Amino acid sequence: EVQLVESGGGLVQPGGSLRLSCAATGFTFSNYWMTWVRQAPGKGLEWVANIKEDVTEMRYVDSVKGRFTISRDNAKNSLYLQMNSLRAEDTAVYYCARDLVGSGTVFDYWGQGTLVTVSS
Amino acid sequence: EIVLTQSPATLSLSPGERATLSCRASQSVSSYLAWYQQKPGQAPRLLIYDASNRATGIPARFNGSGSGTDFTLTISSLEPEDFAIYYCQQRYNWPPLTFGGGTKVEIK
């Protein structure tokens, strides 16, 4: 059974940093693009970043470029999101998701999400 | 950036009725459009990808259609578990991958 379990969320002050993790089980992690999608409280979905299975490609939404870094450790079956210079508008539930179609663009399995709150 | 506009914002229907949800793109996305369902407190669930392909395990009452800029998700006969928010998402021109604002299907 495919499972994705996020961790690392919490309360952080504006300008602070946080590192999210996503532990993957039930599939060959190293064969899949992986993605982070976020959802602000009461709002819709926003794609944040994705990373190719061999780490040769990473893409970001403009609003997080230069502040967030997506990475992965295929030996540990884990996906990460390093978030620096956090802003109030980064407050959201962050989901990791697996790609279906081999291009990082359709998400067939999702974790349960981890809440990041940026507030003083 | 491709903007996806979903309508209506809210759809009030009874179980057993047919639901028709619309997603319009600001420019052509060919057939590279997906639909997701999200229930309160849960992660999204993939329903349809590439306009009309049902994801694994999705019931046949969910159907996607359209191409170019206009897409439709049809639920042929609403079951109680179908009342949720539905999002469309394009993958034709990215980054960024973009989602629509959602349509809430609520019980009338």
Side-chain angles (χ1 to χ4, degrees), chain B residues 35-90:
Chain B
W35 291 92
Y36 299 85
Q37 175 195 67
Q38 188 179 33
K39 298 178 183 178
Q42 295 185 18
R45 173 194 182 198
L46 176 66
L47 300 175
I48 302 287
Y49 66 98
D50 293 352
S52 60
N53 296 298
R54 271 190 300 274
T56 301
I58 301 304
R61 64 181 181 273
F62 291 93
N63 287 284
S65 63
S67 66
T69 60
D70 291 301
F71 298 85
T72 301
L73 175 68
T74 303
I75 310 170
S76 58
S77 178
L78 282 164
E79 296 289 338
E81 61 269 27
D82 298 337
F83 292 92
I85 299 175
Y86 293 83
Y87 295 96
C88 57
Q89 176 242 323
Q90 67 83 25

Side-chain angles (χ1 to χ4, degrees), chain B residues 1 12 22 26 40-41 51 61 69 75 91 99 104-105:
Chain B
E1 172 177 328
S12 299
S22 174
S26 59
R61 64 181 181 273
T69 60
I75 310 170
R91 69 182 189 99
F99 290 87
K104 181 180 182 180
V105 179

Side-chain angles (χ1 to χ4, degrees), chain A residues 33 37 39 43-47 50 59-61 95 100-101 103-108 110-111, chain B residues 34 36 38 41-46 49-50 87 89-91 94-101:
Chain A
W33 280 76
V37 174
Q39 186 169 36
K43 302 298 183 183
L45 301 169
E46 181 182 33
W47 171 78
N50 61 9
R59 302 280 188 267
Y60 300 89
V61 69
Y95 297 100
L100 172 66
V101 294
S103 60
T105 56
V106 176
F107 318 123
D108 62 345
W110 298 62
Chain B
Y36 299 85
Q38 188 179 33
Q42 295 185 18
R45 173 194 182 198
L46 176 66
Y49 66 98
D50 293 352
Y87 295 96
Q89 176 242 323
Q90 67 83 25
R91 69 182 189 99
W94 70 285
L97 296 161
T98 53
F99 290 87

